[in-house]
């Protein structure tokens, strides 16, 4: 699979490069990443360098994972990362602390889901899944805003740093989703 660039009204999603590694390393030292994400901790520059030099290109080449840098303009600084993994048809994302609250990740996630459903670049699917550790209301707010339906709390699909599968919130966005029904599916505990 060849990397593709996605554009929205305010964003450019393109492949992260080695020049982005320092920003990734800085953002991934956010204490919220230790709590809510499975990224290495403590996060070091070598992790970011390996991510952009090896993991991102390998995902595109093998067709297993499409990963984008989120930017507010062409050649702008990286403000976050979003990925779509083809094996589980799931998405993962994060946004730098100084960029939160602007609706950027909702916009990026909507663009990625649209690409998954219509591009033909990845195997056809009628559902994209999302999950976050139980309690991660910010991630839930993004998924809910894009139209994902809450499907319950269950062990995480991806192991956390100690190899365990912690309780996680799960959601799905169907190609033929009903937005009103999806919004109503989210329990109060998932809301900000």
């Amino acid at each position: 699979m060849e990397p593709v660039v996605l554009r929205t009204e305010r964003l450019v999603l393109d492949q992260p490069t080695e020049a982005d590694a320092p920003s990734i390393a800085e953002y991934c030292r956010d204490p919220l990443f230790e709590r809510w994400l499975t990224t290495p901790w403590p996060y070091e520059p070598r992790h970011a360098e390996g991510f952009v030099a090896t993991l991102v290109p390998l995902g595109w080449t093998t067709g297993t994972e499409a990963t984008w840098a989120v930017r507010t303009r062409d050649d702008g600084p990286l403000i976050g990362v979003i990925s779509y993994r083809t094996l589980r048809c799931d998405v993962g994302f994060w946004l730098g602390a100084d960029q939160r609250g602007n609706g950027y990740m909702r916009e990026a996630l909507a663009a990625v889901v649209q690409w998954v459903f219509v591009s033909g670049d990845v195997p056809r699917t009628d559902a994209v899944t999302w999950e976050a550790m139980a309690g991660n209301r910010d991630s839930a707010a993004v998924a809910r805003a894009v139209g994902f339906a809450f499907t319950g709390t269950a062990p995480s699909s991806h192991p956390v740093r100690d190899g365990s599968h912690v309780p996680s919130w799960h959601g799905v966005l169907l190609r033929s989703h009903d937005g009103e029904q999806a919004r109503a599916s989210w329990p109060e505990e998932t809301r900000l």
Side-chain angles (χ1 to χ4, degrees):
M1 174 170 58
E2 289 295 319
V4 298
V5 175
L6 304 178
R7 296 181 187 281
T8 70
E9 183 177 324
R10 301 182 300 161
L11 301 174
V12 176
L13 281 61
D14 62 11
Q15 189 170 9
T17 68
E18 291 182 19
D20 295 317
S23 296
I24 293 170
E26 181 180 335
Y27 281 134
C28 289
R29 287 198 274 290
D30 183 330
L32 288 179
F33 284 44
E34 179 184 18
R35 181 173 183 189
W36 299 122
L37 302 181
T38 60
T39 52
W41 193 265
Y43 201 90
E44 300 175 3
R46 66 182 173 87
H47 296 122
E49 292 160 5
F51 176 69
V52 298
T54 304
L55 293 177
V56 171
L58 184 63
W60 282 102
T61 301
T62 61
T64 58
E65 186 166 354
T67 300
W68 293 271
V70 179
R71 306 178 198 281
T72 57
R73 65 182 189 278
D74 284 313
D75 299 322
L78 174 144
I79 64 169
V81 170
I82 187 166
S83 296
Y84 172 72
R85 295 171 287 251
T86 59
L87 181 64
R88 291 191 177 107
C89 300
D90 69 328
V91 290
F93 48 83
W94 60 260
L95 197 62
D98 58 341
Q99 301 297 325
R100 297 177 192 146
N102 296 307
Y104 290 144
M105 193 49 69
R106 287 189 303 267
E107 196 170 320
L109 180 56
V112 168
V113 168
Q114 177 71 12
W115 174 79
V116 168
F117 285 150
V118 303
S119 73
D121 293 331
V122 292
R124 180 179 162 80
T125 183
D126 289 325
V128 174
T129 62
W130 158 90
E131 73 176 72
M133 290 182 198
N136 189 343
R137 290 178 180 88
D138 291 318
S139 184
V142 171
R144 184 174 56 251
V146 173
F148 282 74
F150 184 76
T151 58
T153 302
S156 60
S157 301
H158 306 280
V160 295
R161 291 180 198 94
D162 68 2
S164 65
H165 293 268
V166 298
S168 294
W169 293 335
H170 296 260
V172 65
L173 179 63
L174 302 175
R175 181 184 296 268
S176 60
H177 80 286
D178 176 331
E180 187 174 319
Q181 186 177 11
R183 280 187 295 281
S185 69
W186 292 85
E188 191 59 38
E189 70 189 31
T190 66
R191 298 177 184 274
L192 289 173

